[in-house]
Amino acid sequence: MTAFPSSHPAGLLRPALGLALVTLLVAGLGYALLATGLGRVLFPAQAQGSLLERDGRIVGSALVGQPFAGARWFVPRPSAAGYDPMAMAGSNLSRGNPALRAEIAAARQAIAAREGVAAVDVPDELITRSGSGIDPHIGPAAARVQVARVAAARGLDPARVQALVDAHTQGPTFGLFGAARVNVLSLNLALDAQSQGDGAQ
């Protein structure tokens, strides 16, 4: 007579617990360790947060926008989250909201005055908040409109500053996805390095 495993709950408990333990170790711990290890080997900078350094000190991440104050700096998109990665958010105001329209109009005039350009020449991304609130990039047009101000504040030839912008402009990913962009923190660090080099001469 053929013997069949007991269908009593106590007889099923051991294999069920064994399967749960193996699944937890393989899918939970093993996969996480493998993915983390491969990430550190294949993409070491990205695995550490794409951190940027100046004089041996970490000053930020290429993935997280941060505010810059003063005429010497390129500024990023405005943030509804205060550039706080722990409070990522957009403005949550609809495009038809009168308060948002008034805010955008005021910001456009203020930026036009700051950059010395006509209001119609202010790129929209300099007056609208990104969805995440920590977008580290601006488009080439938003960087270009700031070149004259930054160059004057640093006593540099505008052509040299524009050359830095061009050098830090990334094209669409794989040439297909997204748009051309400039990482604001990287650009400002390059400006500092150039200014220090000029001062040392």
Side-chain angles (χ1 to χ4, degrees):
M1 186 174 182
T2 304
F4 291 95
S6 171
S7 60
H8 190 275
L12 300 175
L13 183 60
R14 182 175 178 180
L17 289 176
L19 179 61
L21 180 60
V22 170
T23 302
L24 179 64
L25 291 176
V26 173
L29 181 62
Y31 175 78
L33 291 175
L34 177 64
T36 301
L38 286 175
R40 288 178 180 270
V41 171
L42 299 177
F43 309 101
Q46 292 89 334
Q48 296 299 318
S50 298
L51 301 176
L52 298 176
E53 296 185 4
R54 180 174 62 187
D55 301 327
R57 182 173 61 88
I58 295 174
V59 296
S61 168
L63 304 177
V64 179
Q66 58 181 265
F68 286 91
R72 293 169 52 83
W73 310 104
F74 284 88
V75 298
R77 293 187 68 171
S79 170
Y83 303 98
D84 182 359
M86 303 305 292
M88 295 169 58
S91 67
N92 292 326
L93 297 176
S94 71
R95 295 182 64 180
N97 190 303
L100 179 62
R101 291 179 177 273
E103 188 178 296
I104 287 176
R108 187 181 298 277
Q109 293 297 329
I111 293 172
R114 182 188 73 196
E115 305 299 347
V117 299
V120 295
D121 293 330
V122 175
D124 288 343
E125 66 192 277
L126 289 180
I127 57 178
T128 57
R129 297 170 175 86
S130 67
S132 69
I134 58 170
D135 192 340
H137 299 99
I138 55 177
R144 188 164 51 250
V145 80
Q146 301 182 61
V147 166
R149 167 179 55 80
V150 172
R154 290 178 176 263
L156 296 174
D157 183 345
R160 291 181 63 186
V161 178
Q162 181 60 53
L164 274 179
V165 171
D166 294 340
H168 285 80
T169 299
Q170 303 168 272
T173 304
F174 304 123
L176 298 171
F177 305 109
R181 59 201 180 276
V182 180
N183 188 284
V184 177
L185 176 57
S186 296
L187 177 58
N188 283 331
L189 289 175
L191 270 170
D192 276 351
Q194 184 167 100
S195 295
Q196 289 174 359
D198 289 345
Q201 294 176 359

